Amino acid sequence: MPTAIVTGATGILGREIVQALGKDSKWTKIHALSRSQKDKYPPTVQHNHLDLTGDAQVIAKELKSQGVEGEYLFFAAYLAKDDEKEASDVNGAMLKNFIEALAINGTEKKLKRVILTTGAKQYGVHLGPVKCPMEESDPWIEGEGRPPNFYYTQQRILYEAAKKGGWDWVVTYPNDVIGVAKGNFMNLSTALALYATICKELGGDLEFPGSEKFYTRFDCFTYSRLHAAFNLWAALEPKCTNQAFNVVNGDTESWTNMWPKLARRFGCKVPPKQFQGKARDASEMVLQAVPPFEDLASENGMQGEVAQGKVRQRINLTKWSQRKEVKDAWEQIAKREGVQEDALEKATWGFLGFVLGREYDIVISMSKARKFGWTGYIDTWESMEATFDELEQEKIVPKTK
Ligand SMILES: NC(=O)c1ccc[n+]([C@@H]2O[C@H](COP(=O)([O-])OP(=O)(O)OC[C@H]3O[C@@H](n4cnc5c(N)ncnc54)[C@H](OP(=O)(O)O)[C@@H]3O)[C@@H](O)[C@H]2O)c1
């Protein structure tokens, strides 16, 4: 009967791993770790306070005194930093400290496998156009002129520690996560639901705020619950030893397909000529001068063919969220419907702006996971609807039906 430790227990991805373990009777004891506690848990789950930025010796003592141990470690903790070097230092240190702490207090001996959550920044999706579909065997985007990538730092730490500690590892690469979390740094669903709710209040026109170019391009998303199911499967699947996997829903989506569905759900209308009028509060950001695509271009005969990436928003969402009429509309909705008043201010507008404004395809291959036996799949729009339902139940946004 396996036992588990989950770090990042309150995060958009970690929260669902804890819930999935708690619902599965095979898992007899689960330690859910984070600085805060935001959910109620089933009896097999014990929440323990932990600050991963502390010293390994201190963490070791704290864990020991709370009886924290487990055979499987699901590491989904994450501390957002704007500076890439800082993100790499901080997130690398959090993983290193934790594993060192287990070694110091002797509980590493019980460890069988560590499942580390990272993401599609593995392929440089934040730096500009990438080769599609992305495959796990693609080269890492690093070296001269490339910024540090905290996923590479964490994976190197993981490989080293596994060799020393005598356990094995699995790494996941999710992308644009759809799910619910309170106080998360990258949550596109909450921001989308708020945008649509406020557009409805302001007259019902649901204009696509991102780039018109990206409206017809492709993206692959990860439902947080599917990612959790993948984690549980990969932890116990012997074939997955020392392997990294893309973890996306299994379909490829476009906003051309999903935007009218979003409008219908929230009682709005997509303006028939939404890209023809003048954009208000438009913004443009250029990405790395040499796109990640270029690192594979000599091999595929496309050297110098792919231009530098841009993120263009027809309506800059951060500015939009600060407009007086938007704030007033949300205040009115929140009072009338009894939903969370600070949701507008807390939503991750910059992240949604990036997801909708990127002007290049994000297509991620699930072939490797399938070859290893993974059969999980969910329709992206259905996962989005399930998430909106949950946001309504949590009283973050008002009921649409
Ligand atoms: N969200 C996305 O769309 C997305 C997409 C692709 C990949 N990813 C990747 O997935 C991983 C997890 O990210 P996420 O989005 O799930 O993060 P998240 O929702 O922001 O959650 C972060 C978790 O880490 C915990 N944490 C933060 N600082 C901590 C500290 N000092 N000590 C202990 N725990 C700490 C937080 O809990 P407390 O604050 O309570 O401590 C929380 O449980 C990251 O590598 C991220 O880059 C995310």
Side-chain angles (χ1 to χ4, degrees):
M1 291 295 198
T3 56
I5 304 173
V6 186
T7 67
T10 51
I12 195 166
L13 290 163
R15 171 179 194 259
E16 295 302 338
I17 297 173
V18 174
Q19 296 295 345
L21 289 166
K23 279 185 199 141
D24 187 335
S25 57
K26 245 196 329 290
W27 295 84
T28 49
K29 182 82 202 169
I30 300 113
H31 288 277
L33 310 178
S34 51
R35 289 167 304 178
S36 60
Q37 180 175 355
K38 292 174 177 160
D39 291 298
K40 287 201 179 98
Y41 296 115
T44 48
V45 178
Q46 183 185 325
H47 183 272
N48 300 96
H49 171 271
L50 171 75
D51 186 349
L52 283 161
T53 57
D55 178 76
Q57 293 283 353
V58 176
I59 296 176
K61 246 193 220 157
E62 210 176 331
L63 295 177
K64 193 78 182 171
S65 69
Q66 295 174 333
V68 176
E69 55 177 42
E71 294 159 320
Y72 296 86
L73 165 62
F74 298 88
F75 196 94
Y78 165 60
L79 201 45
K81 296 282 171 196
D82 288 336
D83 179 69
E84 303 276 8
K85 164 89 173 66
E86 208 186 333
S88 176
D89 291 347
V90 169
N91 288 286
M94 294 208 302
L95 176 64
K96 195 161 183 280
N97 283 349
F98 190 74
I99 296 173
E100 263 175 32
L102 298 182
I104 293 167
N105 71 22
T107 51
E108 191 189 24
K109 287 191 207 89
K110 299 223 156 107
L111 207 56
K112 292 184 175 164
R113 184 170 283 185
V114 177
I115 302 91
L116 170 69
T117 298
T118 66
K121 277 188 183 173
Q122 167 73 17
Y123 302 105
V125 294
H126 55 310
L127 304 176
V130 282
K131 186 263 304 173
C132 289
M134 287 162 252
E135 295 174 311
E136 295 86 341
S137 55
D138 289 348
W140 291 16
I141 309 300
E142 58 182 349
E144 219 188 308
R146 297 296 187 200
N149 185 323
F150 77 90
Y151 294 158
Y152 301 162
T153 309
Q154 287 188 321
Q155 286 171 87
R156 289 195 169 106
I157 289 168
L158 188 69
Y159 303 161
E160 267 312 298
K163 263 193 259 157
K164 252 176 55 194
W167 37 266
D168 70 1
W169 53 266
V170 171
V171 178
T172 67
Y173 302 148
N175 183 56
D176 293 348
V177 172
I178 297 170
V180 175
K182 297 152 197 167
N184 160 281
F185 294 104
M186 291 192 275
N187 188 338
L188 65 97
S189 320
T190 306
L192 260 182
L194 289 169
Y195 180 73
T197 304
I198 294 168
C199 285
K200 165 77 175 157
E201 185 81 2
L202 293 175
D205 273 353
L206 190 72
E207 218 180 300
F208 184 68
S211 150
E212 57 198 83
K213 200 165 163 191
F214 190 60
Y215 196 63
T216 52
R217 288 187 173 255
F218 296 109
D219 201 351
C220 290
F221 297 82
T222 302
Y223 185 36
S224 53
R225 291 195 175 166
L226 187 78
H227 181 263
F230 186 92
N231 267 251
L232 269 61
W233 170 78
L236 300 181
E237 171 54 62
K239 277 194 280 189
C240 293
T241 177
N242 297 342
Q243 296 292 328
F245 295 97
N246 293 334
V247 184
V248 288
N249 290 346
D251 58 359
T252 302
E253 266 298 356
S254 72
W255 290 105
T256 329
N257 194 36
M258 291 198 291
W259 203 251
K261 294 179 183 173
L262 187 74
R264 268 197 296 280
R265 161 139 193 153
F266 286 88
C268 295
K269 244 181 79 219
V270 182
K273 297 182 180 178
Q274 61 170 335
F275 298 125
Q276 288 182 19
K278 196 174 169 321
R280 183 179 158 197
D281 283 338
S283 68
E284 181 176 303
M285 178 171 81
V286 289
L287 299 174
Q288 272 232 302
V290 181
F293 187 96
E294 199 59 31
D295 289 23
L296 287 98
S298 61
E299 189 183 299
N300 61 31
M302 293 278 288
Q303 215 163 29
E305 296 288 341
V306 174
Q308 176 176 21
K310 281 185 186 156
V311 176
R312 281 177 47 228
Q313 296 182 67
R314 286 181 56 82
I315 304 168
N316 179 295
L317 285 170
T318 305
K319 284 190 188 155
W320 175 87
S321 71
Q322 288 155 5
R323 283 184 197 168
K324 186 173 179 325
E325 75 263 27
V326 168
K327 284 181 167 181
D328 289 349
W330 182 250
E331 203 185 309
Q332 209 170 321
I333 297 167
K335 284 210 176 94
R336 190 180 67 224
E337 311 284 343
V339 290
Q340 208 175 303
E341 265 192 67
D342 60 358
L344 179 72
E345 182 195 319
K346 287 205 168 144
T348 50
W349 298 109
F351 179 57
L352 181 63
F354 190 84
V355 168
L356 303 181
R358 246 176 343 212
E359 296 200 311
Y360 43 92
D361 292 317
I362 304 286
V363 180
I364 299 180
S365 168
M366 279 303 287
S367 291
K368 178 174 173 184
R370 288 184 185 124
K371 281 182 210 162
F372 276 70
W374 169 247
T375 54
Y377 158 81
I378 187 159
D379 176 274
T380 291
W381 175 249
E382 280 174 19
S383 72
M384 202 117 33
E385 289 240 75
T387 301
F388 294 148
D389 288 345
E390 217 182 317
L391 288 171
E392 289 180 6
Q393 280 153 23
E394 295 281 340
K395 288 196 166 292
I396 294 169
V397 294
K399 285 208 172 303
T400 47
K401 294 168 213 154

